[in-house]
Amino acid sequence: MGDREDMVGWCGLMSQRGDGRPFIVEVDGQRSLQFDGVTIQSQMAVDDPGALVLDYTRSIMGFLLLHPAPRHIAMIGLGGGSLVKYCLENLPETTVTAVEINPDVIALREAFGIPQDGPRLRVLCRDGADYVRNPGESPDVLIVDGFDVAGIPGQLCSAGFYDHCCAMLAEGGMVVLNLWSGDPRYGVHASRIRESFDGRVVVVRAGEDSNRIVFASKDRHFPPGRRELFERAQALSAAHPIGLVPLAQRIQHSLERRRERGPDDWIVDRRRR
């Protein structure tokens, strides 16, 4: 889910239902997926459908700085498929599984140029909370970006859910979570993630948005050192012109801040349940 946008002048362009079902808005060459006429869930430039338009999607791809060569990426929350398309196009050795609970969202995949299922892509109509309990899946990177009209569904932010995310990952795997800092329970979610991953967590702000991107790793050697982090950013920037060097700086700043203030400075409420 992206940040909220000024909707003045858009009303005549929306097919608003008011029932929480997804619909498409198209303005100035930008096609967005929405549930409520206020919050943009996903956005695509019509003349460049593979680009990552929203800040938070580019920040999510920062996992490449921490896990640069995933074989299998799983995503909970399909939306308009921006991350699915980017990974398929720019990570040719990677397979992608997208898990979406809402069949109405999946029904819009053609409008957002999401490819049909094939050897490198599966789109599953399932609850992400059930998916992470599947012992047959072991992604290297799991992206959790599941929002509905009310925010993050409860089953995607429980302590048990985060425990299952950690358990299902391949050795050294990573989960990447999109949270909204305005959520009254943001601190609770953050605390639960940290406990599930034994503190191997770094959080960055997604550009100018109020989104917070959480990188939590199963790797005992996480996070990489400053030199390794910036060497990766430089090496990957030519293939991924999405601001990886500034993102590496934000990650490093977050790590330094934690060392200075202690690991819990970004946690508001440490209650696990």
Side-chain angles (χ1 to χ4, degrees):
M1 180 184 73
D3 220 345
R4 293 176 184 267
E5 296 285 344
D6 183 0
M7 298 300 295
V8 174
W10 286 28
C11 296
L13 299 165
M14 295 190 304
S15 55
Q16 171 122 19
R17 298 187 182 95
D19 58 4
R21 293 175 60 192
F23 58 90
I24 293 172
V25 175
E26 190 164 323
V27 167
D28 295 333
Q30 300 292 324
R31 184 174 299 165
S32 65
L33 177 71
Q34 301 184 22
F35 290 121
D36 59 5
V38 176
T39 305
I40 293 175
Q41 301 290 332
S42 188
Q43 188 166 314
M44 178 186 79
V46 176
D47 62 355
D48 190 5
L52 296 177
V53 176
L54 298 177
D55 281 340
Y56 90 91
T57 59
R58 295 190 293 274
S59 296
I60 284 176
M61 288 305 302
F63 73 76
L64 291 171
L65 299 170
L66 308 167
H67 199 306
R71 295 163 298 175
H72 178 204
I73 298 173
M75 305 179 186
I76 295 177
L78 175 65
S82 298
L83 291 166
V84 168
K85 291 182 292 183
Y86 186 88
C87 290
L88 288 174
E89 181 176 347
N90 296 281
L91 300 173
E93 303 301 318
T94 302
T95 62
V96 178
T97 299
V99 182
E100 172 58 55
I101 194 173
N102 190 337
D104 291 330
V105 171
I106 296 175
L108 296 174
R109 67 188 289 178
E110 185 176 347
F112 286 94
I114 301 171
Q116 293 302 307
D117 288 13
R120 294 182 54 224
L121 173 65
R122 293 181 298 162
V123 176
L124 307 178
C125 189
R126 292 184 59 184
D127 187 334
D130 292 335
Y131 174 77
V132 298
R133 292 194 290 266
N134 185 345
E137 298 283 335
S138 55
D140 301 288
V141 174
L142 172 64
I143 298 171
V144 182
D145 184 24
F147 285 81
D148 59 24
V149 69
I152 302 176
Q155 73 269 27
L156 297 185
C157 53
S158 70
F161 172 75
Y162 296 132
D163 286 345
H164 284 121
C165 287
C166 184
M168 84 171 308
L169 289 168
E171 186 68 26
M174 165 173 293
V175 65
V176 187
L177 304 107
N178 178 26
L179 302 181
W180 180 48
S181 63
D183 187 334
R185 293 179 62 80
Y186 169 79
V188 177
H189 305 332
S191 178
R192 290 171 176 170
I193 297 165
R194 185 174 183 274
E195 291 189 31
S196 293
F197 285 84
D198 294 329
R200 294 186 293 268
V201 174
V202 62
V203 183
V204 297
R205 181 174 179 175
E208 298 301 316
D209 293 346
S210 57
N211 299 69
R212 298 294 183 271
I213 307 304
V214 182
F215 302 99
S217 178
K218 202 173 178 175
D219 186 347
R220 291 182 294 109
H221 303 292
F222 179 88
R226 184 181 189 281
R227 180 176 179 177
E228 183 178 6
L229 184 66
F230 282 93
E231 285 179 349
R232 286 180 181 174
Q234 293 287 352
L236 291 166
S237 289
H240 301 276
I242 53 175
L244 288 178
V245 171
L247 184 54
Q249 293 170 340
R250 298 208 304 274
I251 291 173
Q252 183 63 29
H253 176 74
S254 179
L255 291 170
E256 291 172 354
R257 181 181 178 187
R258 285 189 62 193
R259 283 193 288 267
E260 292 172 358
R261 302 189 182 186
D264 299 333
D265 72 290
W266 58 284
I267 296 176
V268 178
D269 187 336
R270 289 188 52 80
R271 290 174 297 175
R272 183 166 170 80
R273 300 185 190 276

